[in-house]
Amino acid sequence: MGLEMESRRSDSPYIERVWRSRSSGVSQMLSVASARLELVFWEQQGRMNVAVQGPETRASRAPVPEEATFIGISFALGVSMPHLPLAELVDGNLVIPGATRRSFHLKGSSWQVPGFDDAESFVERLVRAEVLVRDPLVASGGGPVSMVSERTVQRRFLAATGLTRNAVRQIDRARAAAVLIQEGVPAVEVVHRLGYFDQPHLARSLARFVGRTATRLAAPDASEPLSLIYRSEGVLRRVVPVEAAMRPRRPDQQGRDGDDRDGDHGAVHAVA
């Protein structure tokens, strides 16, 4: 009973995670904030459904189709589908109509529904057809500040994710914090590792982006499961180090590319 989840890593630079799941006796889950695009396939009562899930700027409850099986591809940071309206995908999704158990249509072409083990070859075909593109600057987390201007970095992040770099960092750090807490790392140690100011700062971040307190993360609730979160060494390397987080900042720096104490800056939708 519940939401059974299995996932694996990928060696494709376009894929962060491939997952599959089965629902039974659960009608909703808590969807954790994410800065990545996802392509999700699910079969329910013999009918195939396909949707592109956009980045999510905060945790929210989401319905779970009952007695369904799912396969999902979580794309890497910086991977986007330029032909889709990104502003509508942020905190939303786009259902692709007309899917069958074997195929679906995307950007004017028919594609075979992928399986859990062949997602990489499917994504390679999407890349060759220019359905998927990857921005290496965004994929690297923005790169050294000296390489490009801050304005260029922000423009590229907005174009690829619909979010600012600061919003992406806050979301990634909260997800990393949730994983560490689930692994049994004390909250005070998570604060130190990930550069939060203090435990109240961590608590606010978890509430906004994960929807759980540290105590509830340490004791999972099977009646309302979380969406997939996982350890990502790349994310852990990109989050703000404690030395940077604790360094005093001038008032004119608040809410810019670094972190801010309240975590209220940076989550904006891309505009046409």
Side-chain angles (χ1 to χ4, degrees):
M1 299 290 288
L3 197 59
E4 303 172 7
M5 186 80 72
E6 177 186 2
S7 71
R8 64 173 179 83
R9 296 179 180 178
S10 173
D11 58 4
S12 168
Y14 289 83
I15 301 174
E16 183 160 295
R17 208 79 176 180
V18 182
W19 56 270
R20 59 185 172 189
S21 180
R22 179 184 298 272
S23 65
S24 178
V26 60
S27 60
Q28 74 174 12
M29 68 175 183
L30 190 58
S31 186
V32 177
S34 174
R36 278 73 171 163
L37 206 66
E38 282 195 324
L39 187 56
V40 183
F41 305 84
W42 70 98
E43 185 174 353
Q44 182 185 34
Q45 298 178 347
R47 178 182 177 182
M48 179 61 69
N49 304 270
V50 185
V52 179
Q53 175 66 52
E56 298 177 81
T57 60
R58 60 174 62 244
S60 62
R61 286 178 171 81
V64 176
E66 296 182 9
E67 306 299 329
T69 57
F70 305 80
I71 292 178
I73 301 173
S74 298
F75 296 109
L77 182 64
V79 173
S80 63
M81 297 183 180
H83 68 287
L84 297 182
L86 185 57
E88 296 178 18
L89 283 174
V90 175
D91 289 323
N93 61 69
L94 177 65
V95 175
I96 300 173
T100 71
R101 299 181 71 179
R102 296 179 59 87
S103 65
F104 69 104
H105 283 81
L106 186 62
K107 199 184 177 184
S109 298
S110 179
W111 305 90
Q112 185 175 348
V113 173
F116 183 72
D117 297 316
D118 63 358
E120 284 77 9
S121 59
F122 166 71
V123 167
E124 284 180 9
R125 293 192 294 272
L126 293 182
V127 172
R128 288 197 298 268
E130 299 182 341
V131 175
L132 288 177
V133 299
R134 175 178 178 268
D135 187 324
L137 177 66
V138 177
S140 70
V145 176
S146 60
M147 289 181 59
V148 294
S149 70
E150 175 62 22
R151 184 175 181 179
T152 296
V153 171
Q154 295 291 10
R155 178 176 55 80
R156 299 267 288 268
F157 264 81
L158 283 169
T161 71
L163 310 175
T164 65
R165 177 165 64 169
N166 187 45
V168 171
R169 284 179 168 177
Q170 290 182 41
I171 291 169
D172 282 355
R173 181 165 63 169
R175 292 175 64 94
V179 171
L180 291 175
I181 291 168
Q182 287 183 328
E183 292 176 349
V185 178
V188 64
E189 176 64 19
V190 173
V191 168
H192 175 74
R193 288 193 195 184
L194 300 184
Y196 286 102
F197 287 96
D198 48 30
Q199 290 194 60
H201 184 202
L202 169 62
R204 289 193 298 271
S205 176
L206 291 176
R208 176 172 181 168
F209 299 118
V210 182
R212 288 279 193 272
T213 63
T215 300
R216 292 191 67 188
L217 281 169
D221 182 1
S223 65
E224 188 180 60
L226 292 176
S227 59
L228 179 65
I229 54 175
Y230 44 84
R231 171 175 284 276
S232 174
E233 297 303 325
V235 168
L236 290 175
R237 285 193 298 270
R238 283 195 297 267
V239 297
V240 182
V242 64
E243 293 81 7
M246 297 302 291
R247 186 180 304 125
R249 302 177 65 215
R250 300 192 309 272
D252 65 332
Q253 291 178 311
Q254 299 301 318
R256 290 173 57 185
D257 186 52
D259 185 51
D260 63 276
R261 183 178 290 268
D262 292 326
D264 287 335
H265 301 283
V268 300
H269 291 197
V271 293

